[in-house]
Coordinates of all heavy atoms in Angstrom, one line a residue:
F195 N -21.3 22.0 -9.5 CA -19.9 21.8 -9.4 C -19.5 20.5 -10.1 O -19.8 19.4 -9.5 CB -19.5 21.8 -7.9 CG -19.7 23.1 -7.2 CD1 -20.6 23.2 -6.1 CD2 -18.9 24.2 -7.5 CE1 -20.8 24.4 -5.5 CE2 -19.1 25.4 -6.9 CZ -20.0 25.5 -5.8
A196 N -19.0 20.6 -11.3 CA -18.8 19.4 -12.1 C -17.4 18.8 -11.9 O -16.6 19.3 -11.2 CB -19.0 19.9 -13.6
N197 N -17.3 17.6 -12.5 CA -16.0 16.9 -12.7 C -15.5 16.1 -11.5 O -14.5 15.5 -11.5 CB -14.9 17.8 -13.2 CG -15.3 18.6 -14.4 OD1 -15.2 19.8 -14.5 ND2 -15.7 17.9 -15.5
N198 N -16.3 16.2 -10.4 CA -15.8 15.5 -9.1 C -14.4 15.9 -8.8 O -13.5 15.1 -8.3 CB -15.9 14.0 -9.3 CG -17.3 13.5 -9.5 OD1 -18.2 14.0 -8.8 ND2 -17.5 12.6 -10.4
M199 N -14.1 17.2 -8.9 CA -12.8 17.8 -8.6 C -12.9 18.7 -7.4 O -13.9 19.5 -7.3 CB -12.3 18.6 -9.8 CG -11.8 17.7 -11.0 SD -11.3 18.7 -12.4 CE -9.9 19.6 -11.7
F200 N -11.9 18.7 -6.5 CA -11.9 19.6 -5.3 C -10.6 19.5 -4.7 O -9.8 18.6 -5.0 CB -13.0 19.1 -4.3 CG -13.0 17.7 -4.0 CD1 -12.1 17.2 -3.0 CD2 -13.8 16.8 -4.6 CE1 -12.0 15.9 -2.7 CE2 -13.7 15.4 -4.3 CZ -12.8 15.0 -3.3
I201 N -10.3 20.4 -3.7 CA -9.2 20.3 -2.9 C -9.7 20.7 -1.5 O -10.3 21.8 -1.3 CB -8.0 21.2 -3.3 CG1 -7.6 20.9 -4.7 CG2 -6.8 21.1 -2.3 CD1 -6.5 21.9 -5.3
T202 N -9.4 19.9 -0.5 CA -9.9 20.2 0.9 C -9.0 19.5 1.9 O -8.1 18.8 1.6 CB -11.3 19.8 1.0 OG1 -11.9 20.3 2.2 CG2 -11.5 18.3 1.0
R203 N -9.3 19.8 3.2 CA -8.5 19.2 4.3 C -9.1 17.8 4.5 O -10.2 17.4 4.2 CB -8.7 20.0 5.5 CG -8.1 21.4 5.4 CD -8.3 22.2 6.7 NE -7.9 23.6 6.6 CZ -8.7 24.5 6.1 NH1 -10.0 24.2 5.8 NH2 -8.4 25.8 6.0
R204 N -8.2 17.0 5.2 CA -8.5 15.6 5.4 C -9.9 15.4 6.1 O -10.6 14.5 5.7 CB -7.4 15.0 6.2 CG -7.7 13.6 6.8 CD -8.0 12.5 5.8 NE -6.9 12.2 4.9 CZ -6.8 11.2 4.1 NH1 -7.9 10.4 4.0 NH2 -5.8 11.0 3.3
N205 N -10.2 16.1 7.2 CA -11.4 15.9 7.9 C -12.6 16.1 7.0 O -13.6 15.4 7.1 CB -11.5 16.7 9.2 CG -11.4 18.2 9.0 OD1 -10.9 18.6 7.9 ND2 -11.8 18.9 10.0
T206 N -12.6 17.2 6.2 CA -13.7 17.5 5.3 C -13.8 16.4 4.2 O -14.9 15.9 3.9 CB -13.5 18.8 4.6 OG1 -13.4 19.8 5.7 CG2 -14.7 19.2 3.7
F207 N -12.6 16.0 3.7 CA -12.6 14.9 2.7 C -13.2 13.6 3.2 O -14.0 13.0 2.6 CB -11.1 14.7 2.3 CG -10.9 13.5 1.3 CD1 -11.3 13.6 0.0 CD2 -10.3 12.4 1.8 CE1 -11.1 12.6 -0.9 CE2 -10.1 11.3 0.9 CZ -10.5 11.4 -0.4
D208 N -12.8 13.2 4.4 CA -13.3 12.0 5.0 C -14.8 12.0 5.2 O -15.5 11.1 4.9 CB -12.6 11.7 6.4 CG -11.2 11.3 6.2 OD1 -10.8 10.9 5.1 OD2 -10.5 11.3 7.2
S209 N -15.3 13.2 5.6 CA -16.8 13.3 5.8 C -17.5 13.2 4.5 O -18.6 12.6 4.4 CB -17.1 14.6 6.5 OG -16.5 14.7 7.8
L210 N -17.0 13.9 3.5 CA -17.6 13.9 2.2 C -17.6 12.5 1.6 O -18.6 12.0 1.0 CB -16.9 14.9 1.2 CG -17.3 14.9 -0.2 CD1 -18.8 15.2 -0.4 CD2 -16.4 15.9 -1.0
M211 N -16.5 11.8 1.7 CA -16.4 10.5 1.1 C -17.3 9.5 1.8 O -18.0 8.7 1.1 CB -14.9 10.0 1.2 CG -13.9 10.7 0.3 SD -14.3 10.6 -1.5 CE -15.1 12.2 -1.8
E212 N -17.3 9.5 3.1 CA -18.2 8.6 3.8 C -19.7 8.8 3.4 O -20.4 7.8 3.2 CB -18.0 8.9 5.3 CG -18.9 7.9 6.2 CD -18.6 8.1 7.7 OE1 -17.8 9.0 8.1 OE2 -19.2 7.3 8.5
W213 N -20.1 10.1 3.3 CA -21.5 10.4 2.9 C -21.8 10.0 1.5 O -22.8 9.3 1.2 CB -21.7 11.9 3.1 CG -23.1 12.4 2.9 CD1 -24.1 12.3 3.8 CD2 -23.6 13.0 1.7 NE1 -25.3 12.8 3.2 CE2 -25.0 13.3 2.0 CE3 -23.0 13.4 0.5 CZ2 -25.8 14.0 1.0 CZ3 -23.8 14.1 -0.4 CH2 -25.2 14.3 -0.2
I214 N -20.9 10.3 0.6 CA -21.2 10.0 -0.8 C -21.2 8.5 -1.1 O -22.1 8.0 -1.7 CB -20.1 10.7 -1.7 CG1 -20.5 12.2 -2.0 CG2 -20.0 10.0 -3.1 CD1 -19.6 12.9 -2.9
F215 N -20.2 7.8 -0.6 CA -20.1 6.4 -0.9 C -21.2 5.6 -0.2 O -21.7 4.6 -0.7 CB -18.7 5.8 -0.6 CG -17.7 6.1 -1.7 CD1 -16.7 7.1 -1.5 CD2 -17.8 5.5 -2.9 CE1 -15.8 7.4 -2.5 CE2 -16.9 5.8 -3.9 CZ -15.9 6.8 -3.7

Side-chain angles (χ1 to χ4, degrees):
F195 293 116
N197 305 125
N198 296 318
M199 291 178 58
F200 54 80
I201 304 173
T202 192
R203 297 180 189 86
R204 167 60 66 171
N205 59 342
T206 304
F207 174 74
D208 286 343
S209 297
L210 174 58
M211 293 297 99
E212 183 175 3
W213 185 79
I214 279 185
F215 281 107

